Amino acid sequence: MFEARLIQSSILKKVLDAVKDLLNEATFECSDSGIQVQAMDNAHVSLVALNLRSDGFDKYRCDRNLSMGMSIATMSKILKCAGPEDTVTLRAADNPDTVAFIFESSNKEKLAEYEMKLINMDQEHLGIPETFYSCVVKMSSHEFARIVRDLSQFGENITIACTKEGVKFTAIGDSGSANVKLAQTADASEENDAVIIEMQESVKLSFSCRYLTCFVKATPLCSQVQLSISNDVPLVCEYKIGDIGQIRYYLAPKIDD
Amino acid sequence: FVLQKVMPDYFPEP
């Protein structure tokens, strides 16, 4: 028996909004420690790693490890049926063909249950090593979303150049170019808006706007985003999910011919 | 920019 309950369905709604443009389907690995998802987009250029710890749920029970292949589009449709104040419970048997989503209104007068068929999926699990990054930038997630949106109008790629002084985002296209520079915050008292850079070595890499635009769909999950960058390895774009876990997006850099 | 590796190039299956 697997059962996981969240008082706020809005967290799960936001998680689905943050992955539905990248993933068609994904395997949800459920164990005692929580729920983990690792999935690549169709082109295998990006990877989503989602972790929801069991202690972050209001109720969590997982008698044996489960791998549940789920259609992200169907799951997203189901979660749209939950009210923002509803409690959500995921429930499955030990060898499940289906998973149930149960929504309960805060006054307990409405109970809705949606059952979704699981998908048999070939599991392709990649080993992501612990990596020490040359630059780690912490900044407002809203500011990052805005920069991605603004610069995407000018080119297909955004170049991120990070030095000790700050971080510079550049897009160059046929119609012109755009760049935004953010200086490291001197007084980081306003923590959420601060730009904090931990740098060992300056880096400069380019990434596809199309994927970055998908990643910033996670903005409602967290007021801060963390970008980890090293030359010649994938960018990591990380959003915390309250006290329950985090979502990390990995994106392969563009390589200059 | 013409080249872009894919995730398994960076993170091989264990």
Side-chain angles (χ1 to χ4, degrees):
Chain A
M1 168 93 175
F2 168 76
E3 194 170 78
R5 187 174 73 184
L6 280 173
I7 295 287
Q8 282 184 302
S9 66
S10 59
I11 291 177
L12 208 52
K13 280 170 175 278
K14 288 176 192 171
V15 169
L16 263 290
D17 284 342
V19 300
K20 70 177 166 49
D21 293 345
L22 275 175
L23 306 177
N24 297 326
E25 50 207 25
T27 301
F28 285 64
E29 305 277 357
C30 306
S31 69
D32 245 1
S33 58
I35 302 174
Q36 288 187 310
V37 176
Q38 190 203 84
M40 288 181 281
D41 72 286
N42 273 342
H44 288 198
V45 166
S46 72
L47 182 144
V48 177
L50 170 70
N51 182 28
L52 300 171
R53 289 188 308 272
S54 54
D55 59 20
F57 287 86
D58 303 291
K59 184 180 173 191
Y60 192 90
R61 175 182 164 185
C62 186
D63 296 341
R64 51 179 289 192
N65 292 356
L66 289 180
S67 289
M68 297 194 281
M70 301 203 203
S71 154
I72 297 296
T74 307
M75 200 174 167
S76 187
K77 270 185 210 169
I78 290 173
L79 279 153
K80 283 209 163 54
C81 303
E85 305 298 322
D86 286 359
T87 294
V88 57
T89 304
L90 275 66
R91 190 181 289 156
D94 277 346
N95 279 309
D97 297 318
T98 61
V99 59
F101 295 82
I102 300 143
F103 305 131
E104 191 174 21
S105 63
S106 50
N107 62 12
K108 304 206 182 293
E109 286 176 0
K110 181 180 173 186
L111 189 73
E113 184 166 340
Y114 297 84
E115 199 174 62
M116 182 174 80
K117 287 179 188 162
L118 297 176
I119 309 166
N120 276 326
M121 286 177 60
D122 284 333
Q123 206 27 359
E124 196 178 10
H125 201 86
L126 305 184
I128 302 173
E130 276 291 316
T131 306
F132 190 74
Y133 289 92
S134 301
C135 289
V136 177
V137 180
K138 288 182 189 141
M139 61 181 285
S140 152
S141 62
H142 294 278
E143 186 64 62
F144 180 58
R146 176 161 187 158
I147 290 169
V148 169
R149 188 193 68 195
D150 290 352
L151 267 53
S152 296
Q153 304 178 97
F154 294 92
E156 286 179 10
N157 303 301
I158 292 178
T159 301
I160 304 177
C162 187
T163 64
K164 209 179 283 178
E165 286 71 42
V167 56
K168 182 175 160 190
F169 302 87
T170 308
I172 300 171
D174 295 338
S175 59
S177 68
N179 76 76
V180 178
K181 284 180 224 158
L182 296 177
Q184 171 146 226
T185 308
D187 170 22
S189 55
E190 196 53 56
E191 198 188 313
N192 285 342
D193 290 332
V195 177
I196 299 163
I197 299 169
E198 291 162 30
M199 194 203 82
Q200 307 302 321
E201 190 185 4
S202 62
V203 292
K204 188 178 177 185
L205 283 173
S206 295
F207 302 98
S208 159
C209 289
R210 191 162 73 84
Y211 287 94
L212 295 174
T213 301
C214 291
F215 300 173
V216 300
K217 298 279 163 67
T219 304
L221 281 169
C222 186
S223 58
Q224 267 199 322
V225 61
Q226 179 172 302
L227 307 173
S228 302
I229 318 162
S230 282
N231 285 321
D232 306 323
V233 300
L235 160 80
V236 191
C237 187
E238 176 177 335
Y239 296 84
K240 295 244 179 311
I241 305 171
D243 293 329
I244 183 169
Q246 79 279 335
I247 184 163
R248 290 192 184 119
Y249 300 95
Y250 295 82
L251 178 59
K254 296 280 182 156
I255 298 167
D256 215 344
D257 185 24
Chain B
F1 300 111
V2 289
L3 287 168
Q4 187 164 29
K5 289 201 243 178
V6 293
M7 282 296 124
D9 294 330
Y10 295 102
F11 307 130
E13 285 189 60

